[in-house]
Amino acid sequence: MEFMFVASTFLQFGCGVSKQLGDMLSASGVKRVMLICDKGVKAAGLVDRIAGNLKDTGIEYREYDKVLPNPPDYQVQEATELAREFKSDALVSIGGGSPMDTAKAVNILLSNPSTINAYDGLNTVKNPVGPHFAIPTTAGTGSEVTGVSVITDPKAKKKMVIFGANVAPSVALVDPELTMGLPPEITASTGMDALTHALEAYISTLASPVTDPLALESARTIMRGLRRAYRNGQDIEARSDMLLGSMLAGLCFSNTCLGLAHSMSHPMGAYCNVAHGVGNAIALPYVMEYNVPAISPEKLTRIGEALGLAVAGKTHEETGKAISAELSTLAGELRIPRIRDIGVPKDLIPTLARVALDELSTQTTPRKPTVEDVKTLFEAAW
Ligand SMILES: [Fe+2]
């Protein structure tokens, strides 16, 4: 047996922990900080609420609040130049995956040469990065604890995956109270992203005895919280479960990489701006069923149990079908649309399939697909 596991982020979890930001920055000797967020988080009042904790500490801050979904490379450049001009000595990202991934990319450029496009791939970042405090406001990406930053190159229509050492935030303040105001559709798409992370990490070819129990616990925790958080956003226990589950999944996939659902979601995002979690939720039931022959009976049973299914006495194939059906039912209950309803033209499928096959995540999916297989999966999901 051979495996590696890295978790390099100091983690503080619990209701109200984001209030410790000012004290923690002060204790680290930080004087000037750049806050990276998006317009939605800013409009929801979360940035002002968190920045309020910097008052009385003497820490100066500047905001970059323009981060777009599927964050593009030119925004990384723009925010890096602002951070250099402001002479910030730490970054704070507030939001979902897009602000956190943008801040990771900015942090790379603050201590490494060239543009972010030079770092697409595995273990490409040579110089250590400065302090980055990540504060998630959605329960999905787990980006607060991962050594992964996904940045879009709009010219090449490609999602770059910068993965490995010197990428992860130094500190994560994971505070369920910050997710209370999320609307149901964001709860659904980010929650399905987190569930996809847990399941793809569990069946990844890089799964290990360290990640397996974390991945199963993540899936169980997400299944306990997702429907509840979707129905009632003020349910703090469900919100807490979702943030815990997404963070656990982040610890896993940062080590195992992901699978074919992510490979299919990435080009849907790059070509048609489909939200990342929606793309995953659409692909996941089909990808899980496709993978069944390559998943061990024990692991398949554990997945069924984690999803709350009665799988005792079922054959391997029956368990696989039950898992796929449950994932479809869940997506339906969360009103995840079909691909054809969200602006993905059918004649684009061959291109999407070709791009998906070349994605980094395809390397760790348990059943090696052909381009025809991926086309068939897209057509089934269409
Ligand atoms: Fe994801």
Side-chain angles (χ1 to χ4, degrees):
M1 184 190 305
E2 198 178 307
F3 65 89
M4 55 137 272
F5 183 85
V6 180
S8 56
T9 304
F10 176 87
L11 171 75
Q12 189 89 33
F13 185 98
C15 287
V17 295
S18 59
K19 292 178 188 142
Q20 298 173 20
L21 176 67
D23 291 341
M24 290 178 85
L25 286 169
S26 287
S28 314
V30 171
K31 300 269 187 270
R32 297 167 75 79
V33 66
M34 173 113 149
L35 307 183
I36 295 180
C37 62
D38 60 31
K39 298 271 185 222
V41 180
K42 175 79 181 158
L46 293 176
V47 178
D48 293 340
R49 191 162 137 195
I50 290 164
N53 298 309
L54 301 181
K55 288 195 180 111
D56 308 324
T57 59
I59 295 170
E60 288 183 55
Y61 68 92
R62 184 173 286 183
E63 288 173 20
Y64 179 83
D65 67 359
K66 296 188 207 163
V67 176
L68 295 169
N70 300 315
D73 49 10
Y74 59 84
Q75 287 203 316
V76 172
Q77 198 59 37
E78 189 177 61
T80 303
E81 280 158 23
L82 261 184
R84 283 193 187 123
E85 186 191 298
F86 181 60
K87 297 189 170 37
S88 75
D89 41 21
L91 302 177
V92 172
S93 56
I94 304 166
S98 299
M100 288 190 277
D101 284 10
T102 301
K104 288 174 185 176
V106 169
N107 218 17
I108 289 167
L109 295 189
L110 289 176
S111 54
N112 289 273
S114 193
T115 63
I116 200 61
N117 308 66
Y119 298 98
D120 187 15
L122 182 63
N123 284 326
T124 52
V125 183
K126 300 295 173 233
N127 299 334
V129 293
H132 169 194
F133 289 64
I135 306 180
T137 61
T138 64
T141 66
S143 187
E144 65 274 12
V145 292
T146 69
V148 185
S149 169
V150 183
I151 301 294
T152 299
D153 177 345
K155 281 195 191 127
K157 290 197 169 178
K158 184 174 192 298
K159 283 209 166 191
M160 300 180 285
V161 182
I162 303 151
F163 188 3
N166 301 319
V167 180
S170 38
V171 175
L173 296 176
V174 187
D175 184 346
E177 282 178 3
L178 300 179
T179 65
M180 296 288 276
L182 282 176
E185 64 272 20
I186 305 288
T187 303
S189 61
T190 52
M192 287 304 290
D193 183 30
L195 184 60
T196 309
H197 294 158
L199 297 182
E200 295 209 301
Y202 188 62
I203 61 173
S204 161
T205 54
L206 295 177
S208 77
V210 181
T211 57
D212 279 352
L214 291 177
L216 282 179
E217 183 59 14
S218 167
R220 273 193 290 269
T221 309
I222 292 166
M223 291 304 289
R224 196 167 61 217
L226 184 49
R227 285 179 169 98
R228 276 173 64 181
Y230 179 74
R231 282 195 298 263
N232 174 14
Q234 297 303 308
D235 183 336
I236 188 66
E237 271 181 28
R239 290 297 195 188
S240 208
D241 277 342
M242 290 311 297
L243 209 49
L244 178 61
S246 64
M247 186 272 294
L248 288 172
L251 288 175
C252 295
F253 86 79
S254 192
N255 288 280
T256 61
C257 196
L258 290 159
L260 192 53
H262 272 78
S263 301
M264 290 171 66
S265 178
H266 282 170
M268 285 192 253
Y271 281 78
C272 305
N273 226 20
V274 174
H276 176 74
V278 171
N280 279 326
I282 288 169
L284 186 61
Y286 303 96
V287 168
M288 285 304 286
E289 191 166 3
Y290 174 78
N291 279 323
V292 164
I295 303 172
S296 72
E298 196 206 330
K299 277 206 156 183
L300 199 69
T301 302
R302 296 277 172 272
I303 293 171
E305 288 166 353
L307 297 184
L309 302 171
V311 290
K314 281 196 162 62
T315 66
H316 194 67
E317 203 179 37
E318 285 166 350
T319 302
K321 282 200 184 312
I323 289 168
S324 173
E326 168 61 8
L327 294 170
S328 288
T329 303
L330 178 61
E333 282 177 37
L334 302 179
R335 298 190 192 284
I336 300 288
R338 294 193 72 87
I339 317 183
R340 61 170 176 260
D341 299 326
I342 46 173
V344 179
K346 199 169 189 188
D347 58 9
L348 194 62
I349 286 179
T351 306
L352 298 178
R354 240 185 357 261
V355 177
L357 202 69
D358 286 340
E359 283 280 326
L360 184 63
S361 299
T362 306
Q363 293 176 23
T364 47
T365 199
R367 183 175 172 192
K368 294 295 160 238
T370 64
V371 74
E372 282 306 313
D373 291 342
V374 186
K375 258 165 71 179
T376 305
L377 291 170
F378 268 119
E379 277 161 4
W382 200 81

